[in-house]
Amino acid sequence: MKKDYSKRTELEKIKTNWNKVKGLYERKEWSTAILRASTTVELSANFVIRKELEEKQNIDEDFVSHLLLWANGIRGKFDKLLIPIFKNSDFKKELKKLNKKVQDINKERNTIAHSGQFKKKPTAQKIVKESKLVIETLIKEYEQDFELKIIEK
């Protein structure tokens, strides 16, 4: 029997969402695959923010949840939380490199969600590839063996 989504760990939710991306992509549902990939990137950002603030800095879970809502979206979480949290670390360099990809992912997501645009396979390929890189880079900071399923072109 499948575990209820609300009872899954953050890592399980990330993998579940990525499996959904894979299925959508295989069914050629390009726009929806992009939306779900974007969601998975945001979940991975949440994972990192919680790890740093709740576990490493012992900040109250309710306050961290408030910050995650305040930061709103992938760009907000990168610009307002992740980059400032890691401002004095080597990981900041990685985040800066990922920031262009995050901007691409967010832009394509927004044109679907807010303008109703439909996307084609080349855009989905690019966004899914960028999303996988961002997610794995974020998560591997804490879970070195973490890997997402490869989505065939």
Side-chain angles (χ1 to χ4, degrees), residues 84-120:
I85 287 168
F86 289 99
K87 73 179 178 205
N88 296 320
S89 74
D90 291 339
F91 193 49
K92 182 180 180 181
K93 293 175 194 144
E94 287 295 315
L95 292 173
K96 290 273 189 186
K97 287 182 203 170
L98 294 177
N99 211 16
K100 171 70 173 98
K101 293 177 184 352
V102 168
Q103 289 174 24
D104 288 345
I105 294 163
N106 193 55
K107 181 184 88 143
E108 294 300 340
R109 178 223 171 264
N110 285 346
T111 61
I112 297 165
H114 299 297
S115 301
Q117 286 186 17
F118 293 96
K119 300 298 174 175
K120 295 188 176 173

Side-chain angles (χ1 to χ4, degrees), residues 6-96:
S6 64
K7 304 251 190 284
R8 295 176 194 179
T9 66
E10 285 185 302
L11 283 179
E12 289 171 333
K13 288 177 181 178
I14 290 165
K15 287 193 172 193
T16 297
N17 275 277
W18 191 254
N19 289 339
K20 183 62 102 172
V21 172
K22 188 175 185 320
L24 292 164
Y25 190 91
E26 289 168 353
R27 289 191 304 276
K28 299 177 168 73
E29 296 181 35
W30 312 125
S31 297
T32 312
I34 290 168
L35 289 172
R36 184 62 66 171
S38 170
T39 298
T40 312
V41 170
E42 189 167 351
L43 290 171
S44 63
N46 291 351
F47 173 82
V48 171
I49 292 163
R50 286 193 184 282
K51 282 283 188 194
E52 281 301 308
L53 296 182
E54 290 175 14
E55 293 180 21
K56 288 192 176 180
Q57 297 182 28
N58 205 27
I59 295 175
D60 180 68
E61 181 182 338
D62 289 338
F63 183 66
V64 174
S65 293
H66 168 76
L67 288 175
L68 291 171
L69 286 173
W70 165 77
N72 189 32
I74 305 168
R75 288 293 310 279
K77 288 175 181 162
F78 260 75
D79 296 343
K80 295 176 182 174
L81 294 173
L82 284 173
I83 292 173
I85 287 168
F86 289 99
K87 73 179 178 205
N88 296 320
S89 74
D90 291 339
F91 193 49
K92 182 180 180 181
K93 293 175 194 144
E94 287 295 315
L95 292 173
K96 290 273 189 186

